[in-house]
Amino acid sequence: MSVKPYTANQNIQTYCDEVKPRVDSRTGKTHDVFIAKTYITKPGDQTVYLVKVHVGGDTYYHVKLMKNPAALWNKAVLQSTQIGMKLNDPLQF
């Protein structure tokens, strides 16, 4: 079942900026373009976001990250990255 994604806002971009160094490390690339486009969420004790991130050209990543509002550090934590995605590839948990 497909969920309609939300348009990414500044908060989502901030979360992506927080995990970008880990994405760069895991992919072995430094991304000059890293722009959040759309996202879906899975609420719970810790909200999980799956974000479609434009990384240049016609390439996108699906970045799964977690935010725990109760945590003292309150930073986004990278869960996984799906590379080589396209604009029309659906976001799915």
Side-chain angles (χ1 to χ4, degrees):
M1 182 170 133
S2 189
V3 176
K4 183 171 172 30
Y6 300 102
T7 300
N9 56 34
Q10 186 56 48
N11 286 340
I12 300 301
Q13 182 63 53
T14 298
Y15 303 159
C16 288
D17 292 342
E18 290 173 357
V19 300
K20 181 184 177 296
R22 295 283 298 150
V23 172
D24 288 351
S25 175
R26 286 188 182 181
T27 61
K29 299 178 183 177
T30 300
H31 299 89
D32 295 327
V33 176
F34 202 78
I35 302 169
K37 293 296 189 177
T38 59
Y39 71 100
I40 58 176
T41 62
K42 186 187 289 185
D45 291 340
Q46 302 175 22
T47 303
V48 178
Y49 297 88
L50 184 59
V51 186
K52 182 180 296 285
V53 178
H54 183 228
V55 294
D58 64 351
T59 305
Y60 293 78
Y61 289 173
H62 289 180
V63 176
K64 185 177 177 183
L65 58 91
M66 179 181 63
K67 275 293 275 189
N68 182 350
L72 294 176
W73 65 89
N74 201 22
K75 296 276 187 186
V77 176
L78 180 64
Q79 296 289 298
S80 64
T81 305
Q82 294 177 317
I83 63 173
M85 307 304 285
K86 300 295 181 193
L87 178 62
N88 292 331
D89 289 332
L91 293 167
Q92 296 178 330
F93 282 108

